[in-house]
């Protein structure tokens, strides 16, 4: 380009020629006098192929009209303008840039200079993040899903409305408390603690098991808990727990022996007493003893009532068939 009387233009060109930010200089008629490689790359061209052309020859008619209007506004005001622009590249892809357009006063008349940063990928990433955040918010707050977020020390950071309702407490009461404060033992609380240690150490990414939790009323409830690690820069940052009720609320913990648990499991599968006794190697008198004990423990007078009560209390897993004890849920 002609540099007569254009010290500013020479400095701008020297500075921007190797810059990764797209930069250009145009005259008052919209003709390109200079572009750097980054600007030409936006159009899949070399700089020499752009210089000498007008904006109407390089951009789509709609984009060219916008750019020419901005050039005229900057030339009339003489003041730099910072703005964000969208345009179509040769592949038809919508791109977005942000930067400054300004006047370069040279010997042959004022010129318009511009330097921009291509923020297409950044803008798209922000849109995708916003969509993901909205989906997560919908899952947490609108679906009724019981979700609890915990820090690596087991302290409750965030509770969804579904989780607060499940535990019968307000969110402000639960948030900031320690998860251990709400546990009332479990079918194998030791397995939960070992799995938690593996999650925190990054040795595992998820775990599924069952626990007994205390509710705000002072009763207990069996919950399936699905734990998953949330990582940050590759390292465990927090733990998300999805809670699923496996029982109604109950007072106290039914004391069912391992043999009685097997009796309940076989009974729930529809096996008659003779088959249950044979499978467990029990005499008829021994089986009658365990059935009497189960009627008392479960406060149920009949076989169907005992099975129903076992499911209601979370002793049997309502999500499994053939029937199995809730405590047999395996870690993942």
């Amino acid at each position: 380009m002609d540099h007569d009387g254009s010290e500013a233009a020479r400095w701008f060109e020297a500075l921007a020629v190797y810059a990764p930010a797209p930069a250009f200089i145009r005259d008052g008629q919209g003709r390109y006098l200079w572009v750097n490689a980054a600007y030409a790359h936006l159009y899949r061209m070399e700089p020499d192929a752009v210089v000498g052309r007008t904006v109407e020859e390089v951009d789509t008619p709609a984009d060219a009209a916008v750019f020419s209007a901005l050039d005229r506004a900057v030339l009339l005001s003489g003041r730099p303008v910072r703005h964000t622009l969208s345009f179509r590249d040769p592949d038809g892809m919508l791109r977005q840039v942000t930067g400054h357009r300004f006047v370069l006063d040279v010997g042959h008349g004022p010129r318009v200079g511009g330097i921009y940063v291509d923020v297409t990928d950044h803008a798209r990433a922000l849109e995708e993040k916003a969509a993901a955040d909205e989906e997560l918010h919908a899952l947490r707050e609108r679906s009724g899903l019981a979700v609890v977020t915990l820090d690596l020390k087991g302290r409750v950071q965030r509770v969804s409305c579904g989780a607060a309702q499940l535990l019968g407490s307000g969110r402000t009461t639960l948030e900031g408390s320690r998860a251990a404060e709400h546990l009332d033992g479990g079918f194998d609380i030791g397995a939960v603690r070992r799995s938690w240690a593996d999650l925190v150490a990054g040795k595992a990414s998820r775990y599924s098991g069952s626990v007994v939790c205390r509710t705000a009323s002072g009763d207990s409830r069996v919950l399936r808990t699905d734990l998953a690690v949330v990582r940050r820069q590759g390292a465990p940052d927090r733990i998300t727990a999805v809670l699923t009720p496996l029982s109604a609320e109950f007072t106290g913990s039914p004391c069912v022996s391992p043999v009685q648990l097997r009796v309940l499991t076989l009974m729930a599968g529809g096996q008659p007493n003779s088959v249950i006794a044979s499978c467990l190697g029990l005499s008829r008198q021994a089986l009658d003893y365990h059935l009497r004990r189960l009627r008392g423990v479960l406060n149920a007078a009949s076989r169907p009532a005992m099975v129903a009560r076992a499911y209601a209390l979370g002793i049997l897993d309502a999500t499994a068939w053939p029937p199995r004890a809730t405590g047999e849920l395996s870690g993942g």
Side-chain angles (χ1 to χ4, degrees):
M1 63 174 287
D2 189 346
H3 293 300
D4 287 347
S6 179
E7 186 70 17
R10 284 197 296 272
W11 275 104
F12 175 65
E13 181 180 349
L15 176 67
V17 65
Y18 296 116
F24 69 87
I25 299 176
R26 286 196 292 260
D27 64 18
Q29 286 69 51
R31 186 173 303 280
Y32 285 98
L33 303 178
W34 173 87
V35 299
N36 68 356
Y39 189 93
H41 180 71
L42 292 175
Y43 297 94
R44 310 290 192 271
M45 300 169 71
E46 294 296 325
D48 291 343
V50 179
V51 173
R53 296 190 180 192
T54 63
V55 67
E56 289 82 7
E57 294 174 307
V58 175
D59 290 285
T60 65
D63 291 339
V66 173
F67 299 160
S68 296
L70 288 171
D71 283 359
R72 289 193 296 270
V74 171
L75 287 171
L76 285 173
S77 69
R79 294 192 298 270
V81 175
R82 185 182 188 279
H83 45 217
T84 298
L85 298 172
S86 297
F87 67 97
R88 297 280 178 183
D89 69 15
D91 297 330
M93 179 181 175
L94 185 64
R95 304 198 71 85
Q96 193 170 345
V97 296
T98 184
H100 285 82
R101 188 177 301 239
F102 43 85
V103 175
L104 290 168
D105 197 3
V106 300
H108 294 294
R111 306 290 194 247
V112 177
I115 186 164
Y116 292 91
V117 175
D118 187 351
V119 295
T120 305
D121 292 339
H122 179 67
R124 187 177 296 114
L126 289 178
E127 290 175 359
E128 291 174 354
K129 180 181 182 300
D133 288 345
E134 173 60 20
E135 290 178 3
L136 181 59
H137 180 75
L139 282 173
R140 292 182 63 102
E141 305 301 337
R142 300 175 194 152
S143 67
L145 197 65
V147 182
V148 179
T149 302
L150 307 128
D151 66 19
L152 299 184
K153 295 182 179 180
R155 190 172 295 278
V156 177
Q157 292 182 323
R158 188 175 178 184
V159 179
S160 71
C161 290
Q165 185 177 11
L166 183 64
L167 297 173
S169 297
R171 298 171 74 167
T172 55
T173 301
L174 294 168
E175 291 173 352
S177 65
R178 296 190 64 83
E181 298 172 15
H182 307 286
L183 297 180
D184 189 17
F187 298 100
D188 189 356
I189 197 67
V192 176
R193 291 196 178 101
R194 290 191 296 273
S195 296
W196 176 271
D198 288 342
L199 294 171
V200 170
K203 297 178 181 178
S205 59
R206 61 176 296 273
Y207 168 81
S208 294
S210 58
V211 293
V212 179
C213 285
R214 287 188 296 274
T215 63
S217 64
D219 291 337
S220 298
R221 196 167 203 170
V222 181
L223 302 176
R224 176 188 174 99
T225 175
D226 292 287
L227 304 176
V229 176
V230 178
R231 297 180 183 274
R232 190 172 189 176
Q233 297 181 342
D237 180 64
R238 57 191 182 277
I239 307 293
T240 295
V242 178
L243 308 177
T244 307
L246 296 179
S247 79
E249 290 188 61
F250 57 88
T251 302
S253 181
C255 185
V256 178
S257 71
V259 173
Q260 290 160 7
L261 188 58
R262 289 290 294 140
V263 171
L264 275 173
T265 303
L266 292 168
M267 191 187 304
Q271 299 298 338
N273 287 354
S274 59
V275 174
I276 295 174
S278 175
C279 288
L280 300 181
L282 299 174
S283 66
R284 184 57 185 267
Q285 291 77 13
L287 178 59
D288 286 344
Y289 165 78
H290 288 300
L291 290 174
R292 285 196 303 272
R293 289 285 300 168
L294 284 170
R295 290 189 190 98
V297 169
L298 300 175
N299 192 24
S302 65
R303 286 168 55 103
M306 283 190 282
V307 171
R309 184 73 170 154
Y311 277 116
L313 294 177
I315 297 171
L316 296 180
D317 181 6
T319 66
W321 189 266
R324 70 180 182 187
T326 302
E328 293 173 12
L329 287 170
S330 58

